[in-house]
Amino acid sequence: MQDKSFKVLWLQAGGCGGCSLATFAANDKGLVQSLTPFGIDLLWHPSLSEETGREFLDLLDGVVSGDIQLDALCIEGAALRGPGGTGRFQMMAGTGFSVAYWIKKLATKARYVVAVGSCAAFGGIPAGQGNITDATGLQYQDEMPGGLLGDDFRSGAGVPVINIAGCAPHPGWITETLSQLALDDFFEDDLDSLKRPCFFADHLAHHGCSRNEYYEFKASAGKLSDQGCLMENLGCKATQAPGDCNLRVWNGSNGACPDAGYPCINCTSPGFENPPSSFQVTPKVGGIPVGLPMDMPKAWFVALAALSKSATPHRVKSNSRSDHVIVPPARRKEEK
Amino acid sequence: MTRLIVGPFNRVEGDLEVNLDIAEGRVMEARVNASLFRGFESILTGRQPLDALTITPRICGICSLSQSVASSRALANAAGLVPADNGRIGTNLALAAENVADHITHFYTFFMPDFARDCYQDQDWFADIAPRFKAIKGTALDSALKARARFMHIVGLLTGKWPHSLAVQPGGLTKPVDKGEQVQLLTMLHDFKSFLEETLFGDSLENIASLATMTDLANWQGGRGAKASDFSVFLHLAEALKLDQLGCVNPALMSYGAYPEANGNAFAQGVWVAAEEEALNLAAIREDISHSWLQGSDALPPADGETLIDADKQDAYSWCKAPRLAGSVMEVGALARQVVAGQSLCRDAVSSQGGSNVYNRVLGRLIEVARTVLMMEDWIRQIKPREPFCLDFDVPDEAVGVGLNEAARGSLGHWINIRDGRIQNYQIIAPTTWNFSPRDHAGTPGVLEQALVGVPVQEGDETPVAVQHVVRSFDPCMVCTVH
C-alpha cells in the first residue's frame, strides 16, 4: 500500500518530551504546519494525534505487519534496557512489552530511523552518572557505535540512524532533516562522523556568538549575567560544540545560550551529561582552560590569547565585567 | 467485574497506563501506573550542587523552566541568598509565559480534540466543534500554535533556548534586559493578549478576570452565543455533557504559592480544606512508597527521601511515589492555585459543585491565563535596566535547601542536601506525583484514582472517552511524575 505522502511515526522513549515541545515552536507555526508543505503526514505523534490506547496499538500492529507504510520512525528519548535487560523502566502501556522492544521491531520497517535529540542519539541525560536505567542511544552508546540497534543497522533506505543531536535540538534541525528526507534529498554523506546532519553539525555553536568581541580580546565574564566571554571562567564550550545555534533564531531571539547569558554545555555531543567538572565552571590547568578549540595548536591559542588580553580596550574590559554597557564605544571626533 | 487496561495515553506528557475494574457500566476501582522511570535523583547524587541547574530542567520538556525555578530556589535557600529584584521579576515573567503557554497547549492540543472524536458525531454541537478542534487538522490548533509560538518569544528573549535553559540561577536571571528589550517584551505580550481576547475569550482579560461567581459566568455566557469564542464553545459543551459531574473528587487543594513579588506571592500559599483556608505545613509532607516499585516501606519526608528500585515488589503497580500532606491526599494545579489564592469564581465553582471536576479544572486554567497575562504587563514595567539581574554567591559546602514553585500543573518541590560540597541527596515531588499517585499504605487511592470511580464505560469500549476527559482534565505530566 504505497502512498505518495511521506509517513512519519513519532514515539517517546526515555526522555522528557522536550524535543516534541521544541517543534511546537518550529518556524513560529508548529510541526504540522512546517511539514505539510513537504508532503509529510504524521501517522502518529504523542502530543498531537487523536488516536490513543487501542487505536494507537492497532496502528503499531499495522506497521509491523507491513500494512501501513512507514517512511520515518522518529524516536525521542533514550532506549531504557534495564533493569536486568528487561526494559521494565519503560513499558509500552497495554502491550506487556518494553518501549525498547517496540523500537527494535518498528525500526526494521522504516525507510529512515531518526534519533531526535541527544538521548535518542547517544543516551543523553538518562545515561548520566552511573546509568542506572541502562539507557542507550539508538545506534550509539555515548560515542561508541552500537547502541540499541547495533553498529550494522541500516534502515530501509540503506542509511544508519540519523542523529539530530541537541538537548533539546533546534526545531529547525528536526523539520529541515525530515523535509530533506521527504524530498528524497538526504544521503549518508550528509552526515558527520557521529551521524549528525552536516547542515547544522558542521558549524560551531561559537559561530555568530553575540559575545564575539569579548572573545577576540579574551575579556571574560567574572560571573553569570556579565557581558564578557563565558569561555575562560564559566564553562562555555561553544568553540568546541557542533551546531549553528547562534546563526539561528531560537524562540524569536537571535542566538541561544550565550546570548541569554549562560554557557554552552555542548549538548549536541555524546557524553555532554557528564562533564569532567561542573557545567558552569571552566576546568583549568595552570590557569589555562582545558577545553580549547580542537583544530588550533594549543600553543598558538595561548600566545594569541595573551597578546589579545594585553591589547584589550578599556571599554571592552570594563563592559565584560558588567551586565550593561558602562563604557560606550568611542565616537569619531566630529560626533563628540 | 471486568478489567480494562487503558493506555498508552497520548496528548499527555509522558507515559501513563490506567487499570480499571468495571461493573454495571461504571468504573469501580482505578489503578494508575506511571510506567517510565529514569532515575533523576540518582543522576544528581554526587554531583556539584550547581549541576542541578542543568540536570533538573531536563526532567521535563514541557515545564522545564518550572524545574529550573525550583532548583534555583533550593540552592538559594541552601545558601541563604535572595535573588536580585530584576532577576526575580524576569524569572516570574519567563515562568509565567511557560505556565500560560502550557495552559494554552493543554486546552487546544490535549483536551479539546477529544470532543471532535467521531463518538460525538450525533451531538448537535459536533458540526461546530469538529472542524475547529479536530486533532492535527483543526483550525483552532493552527491559530493557537502560532499565537503560542510567538508568545514564547518572551521566553526566548529572557532565557535563550527553550526547553532547557540555564538562565534561571539562584542569584537571579543571567539575561539583563535593556530598555529596548523591555518594550519588545510588552509588544510580544500585547500580541498574545489580542489572541486571547479575540479568539479564546471573546472579551477583555479584565472582564474575564473579574467574573466573581458562577452566576456572573452564566450571565456572561448567556449574553453571547454558544460559538462566540473558544471559551464560550467550551462552556456550552461542558453544560451539554455535564462535565461538572464527571471526574468529581473532593480532596484538599494545595498551592505552594506562585510568583514572588516585593511583598509576597502574587498567588498565595496554603491549603483549602472543607471550604476553609489553612496554612501549609511543609514539615508534614511524606512520600509513601507502599505501592511503588521502590525499596523500603517507610513514608519519609522528602528531605530524607530515598529512591531505590525494587521492580518486583509485591502489591506495587507504579514507579510513582504517593506524597501525602499530614496523611491526606492533595489535589494540585491551576484550580487549586486559584482557589487557595482566593479567586472568587474558582472558589464558587468548587463550593457549588462539591469539589473539583473535569469542568472546573479546565475553567481554573483559563481564568488563570487571564489573570497571569494581566500581571505580566505590570512585571515588565517593573524591570529596572542598569540595575543588577543576577547576584554572585558561593555554594556552601554543607547545607540543606528547599525550593518550592508552582508549575502549570501545580506544586513542585525540590529538596537538596549538600555535604562536602557535593549533592548527597536530591528529592523532587512534582505536581502530577500528587495528582496521579498510587494508593498509600492505608489503601487510600490518589486523586485521579478517586476521580475515575463512577465514570461510565460502555461494554466493549476499549478507549472509553469519558476516561480520556477525566485523565486529561488534570493535564498530567508523567515525565515529571517519576523523573
Side-chain angles (χ1 to χ4, degrees), chain A residues 207-247:
Chain A
H207 298 164
C209 178
S210 58
R211 292 167 190 256
N212 185 36
E213 190 183 30
Y214 298 103
Y215 174 82
E216 284 172 13
F217 288 108
K218 298 289 166 283
S220 297
K223 64 173 187 358
L224 292 168
S225 85
D226 282 352
Q227 298 179 105
C229 178
L230 301 166
M231 179 187 177
E232 186 180 351
N233 302 317
L234 293 165
C236 188
K237 301 186 181 76
T239 56
Q240 305 133 58
D244 58 2
C245 313
N246 285 302
L247 298 170

Side-chain angles (χ1 to χ4, degrees), chain A residues 46 49 88 129 167 260 262 278, chain B residues 10-11 45 51 159 161 174 311:
Chain A
S49 294
R88 278 187 54 195
Q129 193 87 334
C167 187
Y262 56 93
S278 173
Chain B
N10 62 324
R11 285 176 284 115
T45 304
D51 285 356
T159 74
K161 107 186 204 299
T174 62

Side-chain angles (χ1 to χ4, degrees), chain B residues 195-272:
Chain B
F195 163 79
L196 294 178
E197 294 186 337
E198 288 163 19
T199 307
L200 177 55
F201 292 117
D203 200 351
S204 72
L205 298 189
E206 287 82 357
N207 284 350
I208 296 298
S210 65
L211 294 169
T213 63
M214 292 302 282
T215 311
D216 283 358
L217 181 61
N219 290 338
W220 181 88
Q221 171 74 345
R224 51 201 71 221
K227 292 185 275 181
S229 68
D230 291 334
F231 184 44
S232 289
V233 166
F234 164 72
L235 292 174
H236 177 67
L237 185 92
E239 197 177 342
L241 289 176
K242 298 189 170 62
L243 295 184
D244 58 334
Q245 293 167 37
L246 188 66
C248 303
V249 61
N250 194 14
L253 306 175
M254 183 179 79
S255 169
Y256 288 158
Y259 307 123
E261 296 185 313
N263 305 311
N265 287 317
F267 296 148
Q269 181 186 83
V271 181
W272 184 253

Side-chain angles (χ1 to χ4, degrees), chain B residues 66 103 254-256 332-334 336-337 405-413 429-432 434-435:
Chain B
S66 290
H103 288 346
M254 183 179 79
S255 169
Y256 288 158
V332 299
R337 193 158 50 230
N405 183 27
E406 283 288 312
R409 293 158 187 80
S411 308
L412 169 65
I429 306 181
T432 310
W434 289 97
N435 288 339

Side-chain angles (χ1 to χ4, degrees), chain A residues 75-220:
Chain A
I75 303 293
E76 166 181 6
L80 308 185
R81 296 173 297 193
T86 62
R88 278 187 54 195
F89 285 128
Q90 190 188 23
M91 299 298 283
M92 180 74 85
T95 71
F97 291 104
S98 68
V99 171
Y101 167 91
W102 277 101
I103 295 170
K104 276 187 173 177
K105 214 159 163 145
L106 293 162
T108 62
K109 302 292 177 181
R111 274 179 69 207
Y112 299 99
V113 177
V114 181
V116 183
S118 290
C119 296
F122 308 121
I125 291 277
Q129 193 87 334
N131 193 2
I132 60 163
T133 56
D134 199 9
T136 182
L138 297 184
Q139 210 169 4
Y140 281 87
Q141 168 105 48
D142 278 341
E143 73 288 350
M144 296 292 292
L148 180 76
L149 299 174
D151 191 21
D152 297 333
F153 173 84
R154 294 294 180 272
S155 63
V159 292
V161 174
I162 297 164
N163 290 327
I164 306 177
C167 187
H170 189 285
W173 302 346
I174 301 167
T175 57
E176 289 155 32
T177 301
L178 290 174
S179 300
Q180 289 169 45
L181 294 175
L183 291 167
D184 258 331
D185 189 23
F186 194 94
F187 309 97
E188 199 162 344
D189 64 2
D190 288 318
L191 295 170
D192 81 348
S193 57
L194 289 168
K195 312 304 175 200
R196 296 171 292 210
C198 295
F199 72 87
F200 69 86
D202 279 357
H203 293 277
L204 291 171
H206 177 57
H207 298 164
C209 178
S210 58
R211 292 167 190 256
N212 185 36
E213 190 183 30
Y214 298 103
Y215 174 82
E216 284 172 13
F217 288 108
K218 298 289 166 283
S220 297

Side-chain angles (χ1 to χ4, degrees), chain A residues 16-17 28 46 49-53 55 88-90 93-94 129 167 251 253 260 262 273-274 278-280, chain B residues 8 10-11 13 15 17 36-38 45 47 51 58 61 117 134 153 157 159 161-162 166 169 174 311-312:
Chain A
C16 69
D28 272 354
S49 294
E50 179 177 301
E51 296 85 353
T52 192
E55 306 154 333
R88 278 187 54 195
F89 285 128
Q90 190 188 23
Q129 193 87 334
C167 187
N251 299 113
S253 277
Y262 56 93
E273 67 277 5
N274 287 328
S278 173
F279 289 103
Q280 297 180 195
Chain B
N10 62 324
R11 285 176 284 115
E13 191 55 51
D15 294 52
E17 178 179 278
L36 166 67
F37 178 90
R38 285 170 299 159
T45 304
R47 289 192 188 249
D51 285 356
R58 289 169 165 85
R117 287 177 163 274
K134 193 81 180 164
H153 291 187
L157 193 155
T159 74
K161 107 186 204 299
W162 185 93
L166 261 173
Q169 293 281 328
T174 62
D312 299 312

